[in-house]
């Protein structure tokens, strides 16, 4: 399968009437694409003949971190669908079921935690962009800038998913923690 067929499959799934993949998976994909562009920019810079040994030694640890962030975002794409399925399963429980209220709370917390994890991972990658910018070959800097926008988009979309679930969560400690995360993410994309 060539690369555009994979993209078409994801877009077809996203545009279907099925509830998953949805906004959370799209947010994670945006972040993963941002990481992929950073990896391509680093890889291109490392391949250049005029890249010094010192520059290579600076770029390689960042490259390894971004590989991890990209892998985590790919995993979170799947986990977002699992979170929504857990919510649907909790909603399907009979209203008289004594476990329903707790199942709904657990599902809402899960549905808010996954996008928070997506945003956290994208934020970690975004924080590397300022370090990378002066090190990347100038001919490929536009890809670094695109990566920055994609990572910010991943955070912004994740914020929407956290906010939509927040009003249903009744645990004040969890709400406060999520609100603190929201504040951190909002500052990061301003």
């Amino acid at each position: 399968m060539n690369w555009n067929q994979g993209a078409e499959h994801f877009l077809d799934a996203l545009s279907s009437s099925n509830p998953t993949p949805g906004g959370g998976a799209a947010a994670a994909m945006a972040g993963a694409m941002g990481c992929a562009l950073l990896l391509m920019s680093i890889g291109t810079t490392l391949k250049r003949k005029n890249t010094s040994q010192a520059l290579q030694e600076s770029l390689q640890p960042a490259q390894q971190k971004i590989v991890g962030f990209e892998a985590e975002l790919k995993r979170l794409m799947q986990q977002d669908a699992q979170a929504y399925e857990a919510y649907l399963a909790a909603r399907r429980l009979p209203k008289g079921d004594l476990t329903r209220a707790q199942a709904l709370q657990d599902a809402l917390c899960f549905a808010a935690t996954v996008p928070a994890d997506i945003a956290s991972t994208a934020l970690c990658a975004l924080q590397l962009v300022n370090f990378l910018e002066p090190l990347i070959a100038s001919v490929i800097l536009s890809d670094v800038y695109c990566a920055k926008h994609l990572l910010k988009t991943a955070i912004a979309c994740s914020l929407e998913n956290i906010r939509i679930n927040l009003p249903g969560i009744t645990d004040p400690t969890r709400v406060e923690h999520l609100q603190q995360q929201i504040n951190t993410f909002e500052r990061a994309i301003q």
Side-chain angles (χ1 to χ4, degrees):
M1 175 187 324
N2 63 35
W3 68 265
N4 67 328
Q5 288 175 326
E8 282 186 42
H9 288 295
F10 181 70
L11 291 173
D12 288 346
L14 202 58
S15 64
S16 77
S17 60
N18 295 326
T20 58
M29 177 61 91
M33 289 190 314
C35 289
L37 281 173
L38 291 175
L39 289 171
M40 185 264 292
S41 300
I42 292 169
T44 300
T45 301
L46 288 172
K47 282 169 115 178
R48 292 172 61 94
K49 291 178 185 173
N50 63 347
T51 300
S52 70
Q53 183 66 31
L55 182 55
Q56 288 180 22
E57 289 171 6
S58 293
L59 287 173
Q60 288 167 342
Q63 184 180 39
Q64 290 308 308
K65 286 180 184 177
I66 295 167
V67 164
F69 298 147
E70 182 186 34
E72 178 65 2
L73 288 162
K74 288 177 184 177
R75 185 188 71 75
L76 288 165
M77 284 177 65
Q78 294 297 319
Q79 198 169 39
D80 180 68
Q82 293 167 358
Y84 189 73
E85 292 299 326
Y87 174 73
L88 290 178
R91 294 264 327 236
R92 287 186 202 111
L93 291 172
K95 292 195 180 191
D97 188 323
L98 298 177
T99 65
R100 186 175 194 269
Q102 187 59 52
L104 280 168
Q105 281 304 297
D106 292 345
L108 285 168
C109 286
F110 187 28
T113 299
V114 173
D117 291 347
I118 292 168
S120 292
T121 305
L123 179 56
C124 288
L126 182 62
Q127 290 168 338
L128 281 175
V129 171
N130 290 335
F131 167 76
L132 290 171
E133 226 173 288
L135 305 178
I136 297 298
S138 60
V139 297
I140 200 148
L141 271 175
S142 63
D143 291 303
V144 173
Y145 301 145
C146 288
K148 187 175 189 176
H149 291 299
L150 285 165
L151 291 165
K152 285 185 173 187
T153 297
I155 295 168
C157 292
S158 295
L159 278 167
E160 298 301 333
N161 285 314
I162 298 167
R163 285 186 188 115
I164 200 76
N165 291 294
L166 196 59
I169 299 173
T170 58
D171 178 356
T173 303
R174 187 69 187 140
V175 170
E176 182 180 340
H177 177 71
L178 286 166
Q179 192 57 59
Q180 288 171 353
Q181 288 184 297
I182 287 170
N183 295 340
T184 298
F185 301 144
E186 285 175 338
R187 284 191 302 272
I189 59 173
Q190 291 177 351

